[in-house]
Amino acid sequence: MLTQTQNLYRETDGRYATDEELQFFQDYLQSFPLRLTTYNKIRTSEALIVQQVQSQLRAKAPQVLMQGDRDLSNKWKQDTLRILRHSALALLIDDRDGLRDRLLLWFQTVMRAFEAQDGCDFTYSIMQNVIESLLTREEAALLRPILEYNRQILCQVSTPEEFTP
């Protein structure tokens, strides 16, 4: 929404916006009650979401949470919470581009530096399943594309310049 608003401002410099150019406002206003409900549900359920993802990750791919003898669970949890919170905000304000620009591309560099793309892929695949079980179908439909977007950006091995959303 914020990125779309900025683009609209730039594109309509000196003229009125057309109905088609303003349609995203109407779409956003219609979806806002569901966005707000979903945001609040994610906020109140974040500990449960992360705990369930971590439990399933430990069962299916325990190597993701370990580096040799070192337990990475706390770092994984901190990073996962950070991205989940930013994702929930992106859902609320309908701004995946802002999420990408403010967090995901930077975090992608971190994932590459630690060669953690496989763990990321496991995490976001599991998280999508957890979300399906905790949210309504409509709520999950709002969050699922953002989680997939996160997975695509964070888990890829190409450079950010090669990524086209």
Side-chain angles (χ1 to χ4, degrees):
M1 174 84 173
L2 296 177
T3 302
Q4 290 174 304
T5 304
Q6 289 171 339
N7 290 341
L8 178 67
Y9 185 76
R10 208 175 22 257
E11 292 168 7
T12 60
D13 186 30
R15 67 173 176 84
Y16 289 103
T18 65
D19 289 344
E20 293 80 26
E21 290 171 322
L22 296 173
Q23 184 60 45
F24 75 92
F25 279 117
Q26 185 66 32
D27 296 342
Y28 179 75
L29 291 174
Q30 288 176 348
S31 69
F32 183 74
L34 180 59
R35 288 178 184 283
L36 183 59
T37 301
T38 306
Y39 176 85
N40 286 327
K41 191 178 276 187
I42 294 166
R43 184 180 66 195
T44 59
S45 302
E46 76 171 6
L48 179 60
I49 293 168
V50 172
Q51 180 271 326
Q52 286 188 12
V53 172
Q54 189 175 38
S55 293
Q56 290 183 36
L57 192 58
R58 219 178 271 292
K60 295 177 182 178
Q63 72 279 6
V64 169
L65 300 173
M66 298 297 291
Q67 184 179 45
D69 292 340
R70 187 170 164 224
D71 186 357
L72 301 175
S73 297
N74 288 334
K75 178 67 173 141
W76 174 91
K77 183 178 179 179
Q78 178 185 21
D79 292 344
T80 302
L81 279 169
R82 176 181 292 128
I83 292 173
L84 181 60
R85 289 171 181 168
H86 282 268
S87 298
L89 182 59
L91 178 146
L92 179 65
I93 64 174
D94 192 19
D95 193 13
R96 284 194 308 186
D97 292 340
L99 173 65
R100 179 193 65 221
D101 296 343
R102 284 187 306 278
L103 179 69
L104 295 178
L105 292 178
W106 167 80
F107 209 79
Q108 178 191 62
T109 304
V110 173
M111 299 303 290
R112 284 189 192 151
F114 289 97
E115 297 179 349
Q117 292 96 337
D118 288 343
C120 174
D121 195 35
F122 281 120
T123 296
Y124 287 94
S125 296
I126 292 170
M127 188 177 291
Q128 289 188 39
N129 292 332
V130 168
I131 290 299
E132 296 289 333
S133 70
L134 295 175
L135 301 178
T136 68
R137 183 180 310 133
E138 294 81 13
E139 293 165 344
L142 280 177
L143 184 58
R144 191 180 322 106
I146 294 171
L147 295 177
E148 179 58 23
Y149 190 67
N150 294 350
R151 191 188 68 73
Q152 288 175 5
I153 292 174
L154 296 175
C155 304
Q156 71 175 351
V157 292
S158 60
T159 63
E161 295 79 32
E162 293 173 274
F163 179 72
T164 53

